[in-house]
């Protein structure tokens, strides 16, 4: 117990702040962020992914499959149609597998490349950039927007603000209608909503999500990423020294400061200057308003806007690109990034395993379900022929999207008679309640409670052998 715990002395990190005498101070957390437009390879890549997922989001609910909406998550009917797959509440485990696979895919990507989901594919980021695009087209560049907000209200400022918010609301409304269209027939939703004939829940949902989209992408923006989204808080648990993140090479960039453009790197080094000219563009293009030169921060969403901005400056200065880049802590320290490392391999193995189990669950899923409910009014009754009769209701669930025919049979009790039609037809995605009775001579019963099995088998498709069984009890207490 007398052994002392060794203490490691860590030097404090020097935080570089933009010089307030040289730059306007619009980057504090409580100030509005005026994002500057940027162009470059990563920006083009981000726009491509944004348009790809935005197009998929907008088009998928309009697709038709077998004469109906291909993707319809009908909560009221407790039925999710996803092309040829129909999910019911009984398929909750399948939905759980889907969420587990999505979670481990996110963990794997984050461990490898940081918060690229936030920067390139997150809906909040995508819609924020859409709103920023309308802002730039209507109100002008970053500098023009700052000057516009500083001006007193006049006719020019009023119509620009009005047009901007009108565009924001229009985008939010179309987004909301499309989103709600995943849960109700989208073609009828558009017609009913604009003719004021939609139901209460559909109209309320559209208005609610319109308000959410308008508020999140128009007003809250980076607040959603820095204060509300939990992903920013627990992402560090998945980071390691070999994770690729947007980072500033301080060894190469410091000391920062202005210099003559004609100076060579050697001349700058003689003056004690690094490659960073302290232009502050990396801060101006950041959608969360941080200074990447201060090191890794949880607000960074790895969108790469600062990389494109810095590369543009380096190109104009005839310096090598990459002062700000997607790199790892190991590379910044002069080492080599280890791609194949235990943590990443572990996530990959679990992801592959979970994906395999999900595929297996889908492939082995039986598109038929049977539930047997005994008559609760009487345990049994005697027929005129002296037979003992039990009454049941069979709930036959056709999980497929095609109409099917089934044969019902019973087994497990010698001499039992099946009373009722044993051939049934069930429409696709429907539940059939089918009353049947079982009767038997009491002399053939050896116990007051006997087990019987109902079997339902598909008969209209000879290529598919589908059958389900459900055990129940046959009662005769007076035996």
């Amino acid at each position: 117990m007398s052994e002392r715990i060794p203490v490691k002395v860590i030097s404090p990190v020097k935080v570089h702040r933009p010089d307030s005498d040289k730059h306007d101070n619009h980057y504090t957390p409580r100030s509005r962020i005026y994002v500057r437009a940027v162009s470059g390879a990563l920006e083009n890549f981000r726009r491509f992914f944004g348009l790809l997922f935005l197009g998929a989001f907008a088009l998928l609910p309009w697709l038709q499959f077998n004469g109906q909406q291909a993707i319809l998550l009908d909560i009221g009917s407790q039925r999710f149609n996803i092309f040829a797959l129909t999910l019911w509440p009984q398929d909750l485990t399948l939905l759980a597998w889907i969420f587990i696979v999505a979670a481990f895919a996110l963990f794997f990507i984050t461990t490898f490349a940081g918060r690229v989901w936030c920067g390139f594919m997150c809906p909040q980021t995508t819609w924020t950039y859409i709103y920023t695009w309308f802002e730039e087209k209507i109100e002008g560049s970053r500098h023009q927007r700052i000057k516009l907000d500083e001006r007193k209200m006049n006719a020019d400022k009023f119509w620009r603000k009005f047009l901007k918010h009108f565009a924001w609301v229009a985008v939010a409304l179309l987004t909301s209608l499309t989103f709600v269209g995943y849960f109700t027939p989208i073609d009828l939703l558009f017609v009913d909503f604009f003719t004021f004939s939609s139901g209460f829940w559909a109209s309320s949902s559209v208005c609610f999500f319109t308000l959410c989209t308008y508020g999140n992408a128009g007003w809250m923006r980076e607040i959603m990423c820095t204060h509300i989204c939990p992903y920013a808080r627990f992402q560090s648990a998945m980071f390691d020294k070999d994770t690729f993140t947007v980072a500033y090479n301080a060894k190469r960039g410091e000391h920062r400061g202005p210099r003559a453009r004609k100076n060579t790197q050697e001349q700058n080094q003689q003056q004690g200057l690094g490659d960073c000219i302290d232009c502050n563009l990396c801060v101006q293009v950041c959608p969360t308003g941080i200074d990447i030169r201060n090191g890794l921060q949880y607000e960074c969403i790895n969108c790469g806007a600062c990389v494109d901005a810095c590369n543009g400056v380096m190109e104009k200065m005839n310096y090598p690109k990459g002062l700000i880049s997607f790199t790892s802590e190991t590379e910044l320290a002069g080492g080599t990034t280890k791609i194949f490392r235990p943590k990443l391999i572990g996530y990959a193995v679990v992801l592959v395993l979970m994906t395999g189990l999900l595929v297996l669950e889908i492939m082995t899923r039986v598109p038929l379900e049977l539930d047997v409910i005994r008559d609760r009014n009487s345990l049994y009754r005697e027929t005129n022929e002296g037979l003992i009769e039990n009454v049941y209701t069979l709930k036959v669930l056709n999980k497929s999207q095609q109409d099917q025919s089934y044969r019902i049979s019973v087994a497990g009790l010698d001499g039992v008679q099946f009373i009722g039609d044993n051939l049934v037809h069930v429409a696709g995605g429907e539940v059939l309640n089918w009353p049947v009775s079982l009767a038997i001579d009491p002399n053939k019963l050896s116990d007051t409670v006997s087990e019987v099995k109902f079997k339902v088998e598909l008969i209209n498709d000879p290529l598919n052998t589908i059958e389900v069984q459900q055990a129940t009890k046959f009662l005769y207490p007076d035996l």
Side-chain angles (χ1 to χ4, degrees), residues 66-248:
N66 288 337
Q68 60 184 359
Q69 189 169 319
I71 300 179
L72 181 59
L73 312 178
D74 193 344
I75 297 178
S77 301
Q78 298 183 349
R79 179 176 62 189
F80 290 0
N81 288 335
I82 306 174
F83 291 92
L85 180 65
T86 301
L87 301 180
W88 297 82
Q90 296 87 342
D91 299 312
L92 182 62
T93 55
L94 190 60
L95 290 175
W97 282 119
I98 294 175
F99 288 134
I100 291 173
V101 169
F104 275 97
L106 183 62
F107 297 162
F108 175 80
I109 293 297
T110 303
T111 303
F112 178 72
R115 293 181 65 183
V116 290
W117 160 262
C118 297
F120 291 85
M121 292 175 284
C122 177
Q124 173 68 21
T125 303
T126 301
W127 263 259
T128 296
Y129 274 109
I130 292 174
Y131 274 40
T132 303
W133 183 85
F134 277 102
E135 202 170 49
E136 292 173 352
K137 297 302 178 183
I138 296 172
E139 295 185 351
S141 64
R142 174 182 179 275
H143 179 72
Q144 291 173 325
R145 297 199 303 273
I146 294 174
K147 293 300 182 183
L148 181 67
D149 286 346
E150 292 175 350
R151 285 162 42 188
K152 293 183 179 180
M153 183 62 67
N154 54 25
D156 178 70
K157 182 176 181 178
F158 175 81
W159 81 261
R160 289 182 184 275
K161 292 293 183 181
F162 174 81
L163 185 59
K164 180 187 74 172
H165 288 283
F166 178 82
W168 284 2
V169 171
V171 172
L173 180 59
L174 289 176
T175 301
S176 179
L177 285 168
T178 303
F179 180 74
V180 176
Y182 280 88
F183 301 90
T184 187
I186 192 170
D187 50 353
L188 297 177
L189 175 65
F190 269 77
V191 175
D192 292 344
F193 184 81
F194 288 108
T195 56
F196 303 100
S197 57
S198 57
F200 170 78
W201 287 111
S203 301
S204 300
S205 299
V206 170
C207 294
F208 174 76
F209 288 112
T210 299
L211 181 62
C212 289
T213 305
Y214 172 76
N216 291 349
W219 292 95
M220 300 184 72
R221 294 189 178 179
E222 75 283 351
I223 297 176
M224 293 294 298
C225 302
T226 58
H227 298 290
I228 297 178
C229 178
Y231 183 43
R233 301 296 177 176
F234 68 79
Q235 61 164 338
S236 58
M238 292 167 277
F239 279 21
D240 55 39
K241 293 184 178 181
D242 295 302
T243 298
F244 288 101
T245 58
V246 174
Y248 166 71

Side-chain angles (χ1 to χ4, degrees), residues 239-244 327-331 337-338 341:
F239 279 21
D240 55 39
K241 293 184 178 181
D242 295 302
T243 298
F244 288 101
T327 185
S328 66
E329 184 179 345
T330 301
E331 288 188 3
T337 302
K338 297 178 181 179
R341 51 195 188 273

Side-chain angles (χ1 to χ4, degrees), residues 243-427:
T243 298
F244 288 101
T245 58
V246 174
Y248 166 71
N249 191 341
K251 291 182 179 179
R252 175 185 159 188
E254 300 299 326
H255 292 287
R256 70 183 73 162
R259 77 287 309 276
R261 186 172 180 178
K262 63 181 180 180
N263 288 359
T264 63
Q265 283 185 296
E266 291 75 11
Q267 291 174 325
N268 294 330
Q269 291 174 359
Q270 291 175 0
Q271 298 176 8
L273 294 174
D275 286 355
C276 179
I277 66 173
D278 202 19
C279 63
N280 218 40
L281 288 181
C282 57
V283 181
Q284 296 178 16
V285 300
C286 179
T288 58
I290 66 171
D291 189 344
I292 194 62
R293 297 170 294 180
N294 292 337
L296 180 63
Q297 298 150 75
Y298 78 91
E299 297 94 340
C300 178
I301 61 174
N302 274 23
C303 64
C306 56
V307 176
D308 284 332
C310 187
N311 283 341
V313 173
M314 294 296 104
E315 187 175 6
K316 293 178 181 178
M317 297 296 295
N318 293 321
Y319 295 167
K321 297 180 180 180
L323 179 59
I324 301 176
S325 63
F326 271 92
T327 185
S328 66
E329 184 179 345
T330 301
E331 288 188 3
L332 289 177
T336 303
T337 302
K338 297 178 181 179
I339 301 297
F340 302 101
R341 51 195 188 273
K343 191 176 192 178
L344 190 63
I345 294 175
Y347 280 133
V349 170
V350 175
L351 177 60
V352 172
L353 178 61
M354 295 300 175
T355 304
L357 291 174
L358 172 62
V359 173
L360 180 63
E361 182 84 9
I362 295 176
M363 293 180 62
T364 59
R365 175 176 176 271
V366 179
L368 173 64
E369 189 164 315
L370 172 64
D371 191 18
V372 181
I373 302 175
R374 284 186 46 82
D375 185 7
R376 299 183 180 182
N377 294 324
S378 62
L379 295 178
Y380 71 96
R381 64 188 179 189
E382 295 185 13
T383 67
N384 295 331
E385 293 81 10
L387 302 178
I388 304 302
E389 184 181 43
N390 282 200
V391 180
Y392 307 88
T393 299
L394 305 184
K395 298 175 72 71
V396 182
L397 171 59
N398 179 10
K399 291 184 177 181
S400 69
Q401 298 179 3
Q402 293 79 33
D403 297 350
Q404 305 286 13
S405 296
Y406 304 99
R407 178 186 292 112
I408 304 174
S409 59
V410 63
L413 188 60
D414 294 336
V416 69
Q417 300 178 19
F418 185 91
I419 303 174
D421 194 348
N422 69 332
L423 297 178
V424 296
H425 184 78
V426 186

Side-chain angles (χ1 to χ4, degrees), residues 8 24 40 46 115 174 233 256 279 287 447 453 474:
K8 183 179 180 181
D24 47 58
R46 187 197 57 76
R115 293 181 65 183
L174 289 176
R233 301 296 177 176
R256 70 183 73 162
C279 63
D447 200 350
K453 291 183 179 180
F474 188 94

Side-chain angles (χ1 to χ4, degrees), residues 48-68:
F48 168 78
F49 262 92
L51 291 175
L52 180 65
F53 283 94
L54 181 62
F57 167 77
L59 294 177
L60 281 177
W62 294 97
L63 297 180
Q64 298 290 311
F65 184 83
N66 288 337
Q68 60 184 359

